[in-house]
Amino acid sequence: MANPSKSTPRVVIIGAGFGGLNAARGLASSHAQVFIVDRRNHHTFQPLLYQVATGGLSPGEIAAPIRSVFRGDKNVISLLEEVQGFDLVRRIVHTAEQDLAYDYLIVAAGATHAYFGHDEWEPFAPGLKTIEDALEIRRRVLLTFELAERQAAMGAENEPLNFIVVGGGPTGVELAGTLAEIARHVLSHEFRNIDPSRARVILLEGGPRVLPAYPEDLSRSAEQQLRRLGVDVRTSTMVTQVEAGAVRAGEMRIVAPVILWAAGVAASPLGKQLGVPIDRAGRVLVHPVLSIPGHPDVFVIGDLASLKDEQGKPLPGVAPVAIQQGKYVARTIQKDLAGRPRVNFHYWDKGSLATIGRAAGIAQFGKIHISGFIAWLSWLFIHIFFLIGFRNRVLVFIQWAWSYFTYERGARLITGNTDLPGWSGITPTSSSVPKPEADKAPSASMR
Amino acid sequence: MANPSKSTPRVVIIGAGFGGLNAARGLASSHAQVFIVDRRNHHTFQPLLYQVATGGLSPGEIAAPIRSVFRGDKNVISLLEEVQGFDLVRRIVHTAEQDLAYDYLIVAAGATHAYFGHDEWEPFAPGLKTIEDALEIRRRVLLTFELAERQAAMGAENEPLNFIVVGGGPTGVELAGTLAEIARHVLSHEFRNIDPSRARVILLEGGPRVLPAYPEDLSRSAEQQLRRLGVDVRTSTMVTQVEAGAVRAGEMRIVAPVILWAAGVAASPLGKQLGVPIDRAGRVLVHPVLSIPGHPDVFVIGDLASLKDEQGKPLPGVAPVAIQQGKYVARTIQKDLAGRPRVNFHYWDKGSLATIGRAAGIAQFGKIHISGFIAWLSWLFIHIFFLIGFRNRVLVFIQWAWSYFTYERGARLITGNTDLPGWSGITPTSSSVPKPEADKAPSASMR
């Protein structure tokens, strides 16, 4: 262990998600030198990412520049670099650019979406983990309506406005619920040749129920709320093939211009690089003090860590676990430096909430199960409260109130190109838009 | 002319900038069928684009989906398509997808940045006309500081933090002023190894003064205000060569990781496609009723139109001209349909304003010339007032107030890749970050 009286100990933190950010915050007041390394310049508030993907919020509202968060903490140094590997013996982190020496290492590299060995599905079914992912999903969703409107305006039969969400976990459920809301309410009066409210949002879940991490009664309620929002929920439906513009589940083939992937996560490949045992999802098996076997100076936290609680139940890959682990590791390092003994990590489960869509959600606080509007409202306030930065909180609150009362969504931009994989192109019955007849009002072409 | 009693006349509008949007609005209450065709799905509020480029605002705050603007106007049909040409005899617009018949055509395709025949400069010196442009500029500016910090953290001499803005018109001046503000105030406390306030913003203007469209005293004032903000203003400096990471002006060569192009605009190539006389900048010479020779049913408005006022002075390429022309053409078409005579377009010059940076700007209202804080404040309120959508106005106002008082900028995300053309790569003197010495506080490495 480094001796604080001899030199300034250096803590290197990999990843500025909930875990890494809170570890760095916990050490911001210490006399350690802290490097926080991330391949992006911003912390992303992932619970609100689906709002960016569905045009409700702008990227800048749910992300904060990492160095801005630590602006006042002179001992925290933010580096925009990509970590490639470790030398745990020499205590060095290899990045693409340099070798970084450390006294303590905190690996908080998180997880990404996984395609169960079918990485070739990714271009056809993007997942939702980064701001870039969210913008790509937003582009595809909005573009689908535009292309269908064009097709219909040209007199062609427009392709089915199907949106498939693969995976009934929290991300899949909130995406499906919000897409249904957009189609039914937000866009319903904006098109002249197609009727967006006839769009179908199909949620495919391989297991027997949605939100399987919740108790059965809440799962059932979530499914009912989804159906009420207009989502076609299909449980026990395992996707066997994803193609450009279509999904196969056994014998069934569903055509859809937009397919979103929310079915699986895999831990960051950095976990494997540590050279210690990992679980099937690639998560590092950590000690109850969150360090790895043989290396008390190396911690793994958040979605990348695999740890069971006192009852033998694995800790879930959610933000509160990562936050508490980040804070815990910061305290542990400070204890080490002060020569005090480590204590085991204990997760304090304050309850869990999932949002489903407009005024729909579920919540579990111990034995108390809540569904519907109150659960949704709790979810909303808790998430806005934990957003980084006072300014962001105000902005997000205004947007939310505005879109709740007006059914408007402000950030509905299509940026980038206008191609859609699997869009079969336009096969108009006539190559020009005929002028309307004298007795035919323009709105008569609405179907 | 179409006879309203016989059929519904169709107006096709190309472009949803200030001109096209206002033309469509003016016809929204009419019985004409209006097609508004744009290759993007959103109207961009261009006067605030520089704020997106400099991380002050998010794209969603200065852009509005076109079909959202016309949500309540059932006779307005929005199409996401790219126009390729015209058949003025058969009254048809060719898009990439279809042929659109019209009774009236309004071409409001605007202008883009021009490199005076040196299109090969574009990758090295992006211009600022679209949301995508703004995001690319933001990426480059923020990345430069990150890469320099990494270089310095590794013990290498970081490259000069130079930012070159080519062109001293309104866009160049506001970009230069805002970049100086960011370097001096926003980022100044966020880096540990570089000192952002030592960044140099260099504004190169070929002519003898900045903002040449304004009276000389206001130009002089603008230059003084720029210098006060820390901008290195160099007038009568004609850029002769742009390379990756460097600009040549005669004998002088300035190295800069970021070069921004604000030097020239050229009218949309669609102007030429109309087959009528155009001026040197590609703008269409229009009649005083804004139609083109030989085609009273075809109007050209906004930046794409070339027209002189009653005093023989060419109308400037600014938003108020486009807005007034859009409204005028809508009225003219309604007059035609009602069988009433056309009157000539008259531009009502309400004055002009340019923003320079924090609390700096100039304004001209007839004989009244204003400089500094009051001009800036006028600019601010007028532009926020004219922003599309109440929600956006509130959000932009909050962001503005917040960043004015805190020197914070909220939308400082780097999205996309982390390459910078011309960045010479990292040549560290040592390939690893040495641990600090015992007696050396981390902040001692600040230069």
Side-chain angles (χ1 to χ4, degrees):
Chain A
M1 283 312 98
N3 183 337
S5 65
K6 285 267 171 60
S7 81
T8 306
R10 182 189 287 165
V11 182
V12 173
I13 301 170
I14 297 166
F18 286 111
L21 204 73
N22 280 281
R25 278 181 160 176
L27 292 163
S29 50
S30 76
H31 70 286
Q33 184 188 42
V34 179
F35 277 79
I36 183 161
V37 185
D38 199 292
R39 59 184 164 178
R40 305 187 188 276
N41 82 324
H42 50 272
H43 166 77
T44 306
F45 192 81
Q46 284 193 7
L48 290 179
L49 213 44
Y50 81 100
Q51 282 288 339
V52 174
T54 54
L57 294 173
S58 284
E61 286 150 11
I62 65 151
I66 300 162
R67 58 176 77 256
S68 186
V69 174
F70 298 105
R71 153 186 282 225
D73 307 308
K74 297 291 178 203
N75 69 326
V76 180
I77 296 165
S78 168
L79 283 183
L80 178 76
E81 299 203 25
E82 183 149 7
V83 171
Q84 301 191 316
F86 310 96
D87 183 337
L88 300 188
V89 177
R90 289 172 56 219
R91 292 182 167 177
I92 282 173
V93 174
H94 304 296
T95 76
E97 308 289 341
Q98 61 179 313
D99 289 347
L100 260 175
Y102 66 81
D103 295 303
Y104 286 99
L105 176 62
I106 304 172
V107 187
T112 184
H113 32 267
Y115 292 83
F116 311 128
H118 289 285
D119 287 351
E120 72 275 14
W121 295 353
E122 182 159 21
F124 312 133
L128 182 61
K129 272 289 176 187
T130 65
I131 295 278
E132 281 90 348
D133 293 340
L135 293 178
E136 175 60 17
I137 290 176
R138 182 178 81 180
R139 192 184 73 82
R140 292 189 187 200
V141 169
L142 297 176
L143 201 51
T144 297
F145 290 101
E146 295 294 335
L147 296 184
E149 168 81 355
R150 183 201 291 169
Q151 234 175 7
M154 289 167 66
E157 190 65 35
N158 66 283
E159 295 191 39
L161 281 172
N162 288 351
F163 297 82
I164 293 177
V165 179
V166 184
T171 303
V173 164
E174 66 201 8
L175 275 175
T178 314
L179 285 177
E181 178 193 336
I182 290 176
R184 293 212 163 182
H185 297 293
V186 180
L187 299 178
S188 54
H189 299 294
E190 297 195 0
F191 290 82
R192 306 290 172 250
N193 296 286
I194 59 168
D195 179 0
S197 68
R198 293 182 57 185
R200 270 174 71 204
V201 180
I202 304 151
L203 179 65
L204 304 179
E205 162 60 37
R209 57 190 177 100
V210 298
L211 298 175
Y214 284 80
E216 275 194 44
D217 61 321
L218 287 180
S219 276
R220 259 198 315 278
S221 165
E223 192 175 323
Q224 280 164 8
Q225 293 183 64
L226 279 166
R227 290 191 201 282
R228 212 171 302 138
L229 289 167
V231 178
D232 180 354
V233 183
R234 303 196 189 176
T235 50
S236 303
T237 305
M238 189 70 81
V239 168
T240 49
Q241 174 73 28
V242 179
E243 317 158 9
V247 158
R248 280 180 200 276
E251 295 295 291
M252 185 172 59
R253 183 172 182 272
I254 315 174
V255 172
V258 176
I259 304 159
L260 305 180
W261 190 261
V265 289
S268 158
L270 282 181
K272 206 175 173 180
Q273 301 256 18
L274 288 168
V276 293
I278 54 176
D279 72 4
R280 219 164 39 106
R283 289 176 305 184
V284 178
L285 303 170
V286 294
H287 287 161
V289 292
L290 305 186
S291 62
I292 61 173
H295 298 279
D297 53 342
V298 179
F299 300 93
V300 179
I301 61 173
D303 287 1
L304 185 55
S306 175
L307 182 69
K308 295 196 165 97
D309 66 13
E310 288 84 350
Q311 284 78 46
K313 215 182 127 199
L315 293 180
V318 295
V321 171
I323 292 168
Q324 290 180 31
Q325 290 184 337
K327 289 178 178 169
Y328 163 85
V329 168
R331 278 196 310 270
T332 299
I333 290 173
Q334 303 226 43
K335 277 185 182 165
D336 273 16
L337 297 175
R340 286 187 285 136
R342 295 181 174 185
V343 295
N344 285 354
F345 172 72
H346 168 74
Y347 173 54
W348 182 32
D349 186 355
K350 298 176 197 168
S352 47
L353 303 102
T355 180
I356 295 171
R358 185 184 173 79
I362 60 168
Q364 178 189 20
F365 304 106
K367 297 234 161 110
I368 304 167
H369 296 180
I370 306 173
S371 281
F373 184 72
I374 301 293
W376 176 77
L377 214 60
S378 317
W379 187 94
L380 199 98
F381 277 101
I382 288 173
H383 283 81
I384 290 179
F385 182 78
F386 277 107
L387 245 188
I388 305 287
F390 171 75
R391 172 190 141 283
N392 282 5
R393 268 174 240 163
V394 175
L395 293 177
V396 168
F397 182 78
I398 290 173
Q399 305 246 30
W400 224 297
W402 179 262
S403 61
Y404 184 79
F405 290 109
T406 64
Y407 288 96
E408 277 261 15
R409 297 179 84 78
R412 274 169 34 211
L413 312 190
I414 297 174
T415 48
N417 66 50
T418 51
D419 301 326
L420 208 53
W423 186 265
S424 68
I426 290 182
T427 46
T429 48
S430 122
S431 74
S432 66
V433 183
K435 281 240 2 238
E437 296 305 308
D439 53 349
K440 197 175 150 195
S443 60
S445 58
M446 177 102 78
R447 297 185 298 179
Chain B
M1 287 305 104
N3 184 339
S5 63
K6 285 267 171 63
S7 81
T8 306
R10 182 189 287 164
V11 181
V12 173
I13 301 172
I14 298 165
F18 285 112
L21 204 72
N22 280 281
R25 278 181 159 177
L27 291 162
S29 50
S30 75
H31 71 284
Q33 183 189 43
V34 179
F35 276 79
I36 182 160
V37 185
D38 199 293
R39 57 184 166 179
R40 305 186 187 278
N41 83 323
H42 50 272
H43 165 77
T44 306
F45 193 80
Q46 284 194 4
L48 290 179
L49 212 44
Y50 82 99
Q51 283 289 337
V52 174
T54 55
L57 294 174
S58 284
E61 286 149 10
I62 65 151
I66 300 162
R67 61 175 76 254
S68 187
V69 174
F70 297 105
R71 154 185 281 224
D73 307 308
K74 297 290 179 207
N75 68 325
V76 179
I77 296 166
S78 168
L79 283 183
L80 179 75
E81 299 204 25
E82 184 150 6
V83 171
Q84 301 190 316
F86 309 95
D87 182 337
L88 301 188
V89 176
R90 289 173 56 220
R91 292 181 169 181
I92 283 172
V93 174
H94 303 296
T95 77
E97 309 290 342
Q98 60 180 312
D99 289 346
L100 259 175
Y102 66 80
D103 295 304
Y104 286 98
L105 176 63
I106 304 173
V107 187
T112 184
H113 34 269
Y115 292 84
F116 311 129
H118 289 282
D119 287 351
E120 72 275 13
W121 295 353
E122 182 159 20
F124 312 133
L128 181 61
K129 272 288 177 187
T130 65
I131 294 280
E132 281 90 348
D133 293 341
L135 294 178
E136 174 61 16
I137 290 176
R138 181 177 82 179
R139 192 184 73 83
R140 292 189 186 201
V141 168
L142 297 176
L143 201 51
T144 297
F145 289 102
E146 295 294 334
L147 296 183
E149 169 82 354
R150 181 201 292 169
Q151 235 176 7
M154 289 167 66
E157 190 64 37
N158 66 282
E159 294 190 42
L161 282 171
N162 289 350
F163 297 82
I164 294 178
V165 179
V166 184
T171 302
V173 164
E174 67 200 9
L175 275 174
T178 314
L179 285 177
E181 177 194 337
I182 290 177
R184 293 213 163 181
H185 298 292
V186 179
L187 300 178
S188 54
H189 300 294
E190 296 195 2
F191 291 82
R192 304 291 172 247
N193 296 286
I194 58 167
D195 180 0
S197 68
R198 291 181 59 185
R200 272 174 70 205
V201 180
I202 305 151
L203 180 64
L204 304 179
E205 163 59 39
R209 59 189 176 100
V210 299
L211 299 176
Y214 285 80
E216 273 194 46
D217 61 320
L218 287 179
S219 275
R220 260 199 314 277
S221 164
E223 192 174 324
Q224 280 164 9
Q225 293 183 66
L226 279 167
R227 289 192 200 284
R228 213 172 301 139
L229 289 167
V231 177
D232 181 355
V233 184
R234 304 195 189 176
T235 49
S236 304
T237 304
M238 190 68 82
V239 167
T240 50
Q241 174 73 27
V242 180
E243 315 157 11
V247 158
R248 281 179 200 276
E251 295 296 291
M252 185 170 60
R253 183 173 182 272
I254 316 175
V255 172
V258 177
I259 305 160
L260 306 181
W261 190 261
V265 287
S268 158
L270 282 182
K272 206 174 171 181
Q273 301 256 19
L274 288 169
V276 293
I278 54 175
D279 71 4
R280 218 163 41 107
R283 288 176 304 185
V284 177
L285 304 170
V286 294
H287 287 161
V289 290
L290 304 185
S291 64
I292 61 174
H295 298 280
D297 52 343
V298 179
F299 299 92
V300 179
I301 61 173
D303 287 2
L304 185 55
S306 175
L307 182 69
K308 294 195 166 99
D309 66 13
E310 287 83 351
Q311 285 77 45
K313 216 180 126 198
L315 293 181
V318 294
V321 171
I323 292 169
Q324 290 180 31
Q325 290 183 338
K327 290 178 177 170
Y328 163 85
V329 168
R331 278 197 308 272
T332 299
I333 290 174
Q334 303 225 44
K335 276 186 181 164
D336 273 15
L337 298 176
R340 288 186 284 135
R342 295 181 174 186
V343 296
N344 285 354
F345 173 72
H346 168 75
Y347 174 52
W348 182 32
D349 186 354
K350 298 177 196 168
S352 46
L353 303 103
T355 179
I356 295 170
R358 187 183 170 78
I362 60 169
Q364 178 189 20
F365 303 107
K367 295 233 160 110
I368 303 167
H369 295 182
I370 305 173
S371 281
F373 185 73
I374 301 294
W376 177 76
L377 215 60
S378 315
W379 187 92
L380 200 97
F381 277 100
I382 287 172
H383 283 80
I384 290 180
F385 182 78
F386 276 107
L387 245 187
I388 304 286
F390 172 76
R391 174 190 140 283
N392 282 4
R393 267 174 240 166
V394 174
L395 294 177
V396 168
F397 182 78
I398 290 174
Q399 305 247 31
W400 224 295
W402 179 262
S403 62
Y404 184 79
F405 290 110
T406 63
Y407 288 98
E408 278 262 16
R409 295 178 86 75
R412 274 168 33 212
L413 312 190
I414 298 174
T415 48
N417 66 50
T418 53
D419 302 324
L420 209 53
W423 185 265
S424 67
I426 290 182
T427 47
T429 48
S430 121
S431 74
S432 67
V433 183
K435 281 239 1 235
E437 295 306 309
D439 52 351
K440 200 176 149 196
S443 60
S445 58
M446 177 99 80
R447 298 186 301 182

